[in-house]
Amino acid sequence: MNAWRLRRPPAFGALLCGASLAAAFAQGADGARQWPMFRGSPALVGVAEAPLAGPLTLRWKYQAKDSIGSSAAIDGGTAYVGSFDGSVHAVDVTTGKARWVFQTAGPVEESSPCVRDGLVYVGDLEGQVHAIDAATGKARWTFKTEGEIKSSPNCQGGRVYIGSYDEHVYALDALTGALAWKTRTGGPVHATPALDAGLVYAAGCDEHLHVLDAATGAERYAVALGAYTGASAAVSGGHAYVGTFGNEVVAVDMAKRAVRWRYAHPTRSFPFYASAAVTADRVIVGGRDKLVHALNRSTGKPVWTFTTRARVESSPLVAGNRVFVGSNDGVLYGLDLASGKKVWEFVAGAPLSASPAAAGGALVIGSQDGVLYCFSS
């Protein structure tokens, strides 16, 4: 198949979506119309509920005042994204117009919003967790940690879970922000905690994957990863998959509480900063080696690699038989899931370290020059 290429139009400003995009949000199933948090679900597997059919078309772009490294959440026809301008932006997915802008205590670097029960949660570099009314953009509560926050909040069971550079994982009451528990790790917690089956999976700078009781914060066990990690663990089928600064992707067998396999590229030794997407038989992850890697989920053996022109710090999204991922070369790529061949690309120009979000037939991603893009088929 020939790759279809779309270049960024030269001028900024909103491009209006067609009626088809609005109809997709109005008619789609709830799950297909939502990408409520970083990686799309509490287990952080990075897989959309519905495919994105055909080549994508740029529908609109929205300009923030500073870079967007935060990955968008999509809920109820609104995209929510943080920016280094010290704001959370709520943007109408159909029109590309701002619904509201909320000022945080400090820049929002990588923390990505989580939307749950009418509230938007996000962390900032001043160490504050913010709860914002999703409809009005008004503050509901804030909680202060003792270190900067780059971790994204994860929401489940009436609580918000988030990591901080003060070396703790926090559980907060979702309605009030009251502290339910905090658990110290051995280093800054950069990554987003994953949630699955009543457990919290938190990786960070102490070279371990910590498995905590979601109700109490008590540590059940920890598995040595061999290196520290900025990536978040994706949890599926009793295994956790995470890339490390030891230049490996690691699969952890939770039943055995041990590493099942490790993958390292045979010739290119670079860290894996992006978080993995996990399908029934594949683990897809980007590396600072400029490659997107597809691995056999059972064995960790490589299936294919795709080469970009710069670091891949964007975490890939799988929608149907396509993989969408940004690169610091300023290109958003669409790859065939089975073969890794490029089938589509969009040249944004500025680095794309944020991760794509997809819901209701739309794909949304921000760039380092502060532009939030929306595409649909």
Side-chain angles (χ1 to χ4, degrees):
M1 179 182 294
N2 293 327
W4 183 79
R5 193 177 206 198
L6 179 64
R7 288 189 175 274
R8 185 181 69 181
F12 290 123
L15 298 172
L16 296 184
C17 287
S20 60
L21 185 53
F25 274 93
Q27 297 173 11
D30 286 344
R33 291 189 286 117
Q34 297 178 352
W35 186 271
M37 58 173 295
F38 179 63
R39 311 307 291 139
S41 67
L44 308 184
V45 294
V47 178
E49 293 288 337
L52 288 167
L56 300 182
T57 300
L58 177 65
R59 295 302 184 185
W60 53 256
K61 53 186 180 176
Y62 170 90
Q63 180 72 62
K65 293 181 180 179
D66 210 330
S67 63
I68 297 176
S70 169
S71 302
I74 303 173
D75 184 82
T78 302
Y80 302 90
V81 70
S83 169
F84 208 76
D85 62 15
S87 299
V88 176
H89 300 260
V91 183
D92 188 291
V93 176
T94 301
T95 67
K97 302 296 187 181
R99 289 186 168 174
W100 50 255
V101 178
F102 175 84
Q103 299 298 313
T104 53
V108 180
E109 187 172 17
E110 296 179 38
S111 185
S112 303
C114 180
V115 188
R116 179 92 174 194
D117 295 331
L119 293 178
V120 181
Y121 306 95
V122 74
D124 66 31
L125 293 187
E126 289 298 314
Q128 290 199 23
V129 184
H130 301 267
I132 310 161
D133 187 287
T136 66
K138 302 298 184 183
R140 293 287 290 270
W141 55 257
T142 60
F143 179 88
K144 184 73 167 65
T145 73
E146 300 303 316
E148 63 185 19
I149 295 175
K150 297 185 180 181
S151 170
S152 302
N154 200 337
C155 311
Q156 195 173 70
R159 287 183 175 174
V160 178
Y161 301 87
I162 196 166
S164 171
Y165 268 54
D166 67 8
E167 304 188 358
H168 286 84
V169 177
Y170 289 84
L172 309 176
D173 184 277
L175 291 179
T176 68
L179 178 67
W181 53 257
K182 65 177 184 178
T183 298
R184 179 179 289 277
T185 67
V189 183
H190 178 99
T192 299
L195 301 175
D196 185 64
L199 297 174
V200 180
Y201 298 83
C205 295
D206 66 355
E207 304 187 1
H208 286 77
L209 178 66
H210 297 269
V211 183
L212 314 176
D213 186 287
T216 66
E219 183 166 283
R220 296 282 189 88
Y221 59 94
V223 178
L225 298 174
Y228 67 92
T229 178
S232 304
V235 180
S236 179
H239 290 75
Y241 305 88
V242 64
T244 77
F245 274 76
N247 311 326
E248 293 181 322
V249 180
V250 181
V252 178
D253 185 320
M254 294 308 176
K256 296 181 179 179
R257 302 184 180 184
V259 172
R260 177 172 179 173
W261 53 254
R262 296 178 182 271
Y263 164 79
H265 191 276
T267 61
R268 299 165 73 99
S269 296
F270 290 85
F272 289 92
Y273 188 73
S275 301
V278 180
T279 71
D281 59 355
R282 297 282 187 269
V283 176
I284 316 292
V285 63
R288 286 186 168 174
D289 57 3
K290 306 180 184 180
L291 299 177
V292 181
H293 304 251
L295 312 177
N296 181 289
R297 178 171 162 175
S298 297
T299 66
K301 301 297 183 183
V303 178
W304 53 257
T305 60
F306 174 81
T307 304
T308 76
R309 292 180 291 274
R311 293 177 172 184
V312 182
E313 297 181 336
S314 172
S315 301
L317 177 151
V318 175
N321 62 354
R322 295 288 182 260
V323 177
F324 295 94
V325 63
S327 171
N328 282 7
D329 65 10
V331 179
L332 174 64
Y333 294 95
L335 310 177
D336 181 78
L337 176 61
S339 67
K341 292 182 178 180
K342 181 176 67 176
V343 295
W344 178 83
E345 70 174 25
F346 171 77
V347 181
L352 299 171
S353 58
S355 306
L363 184 146
V364 176
I365 189 171
S367 70
Q368 288 296 325
D369 60 0
V371 181
L372 184 69
Y373 296 95
C374 177
F375 306 88
S376 70
S377 56

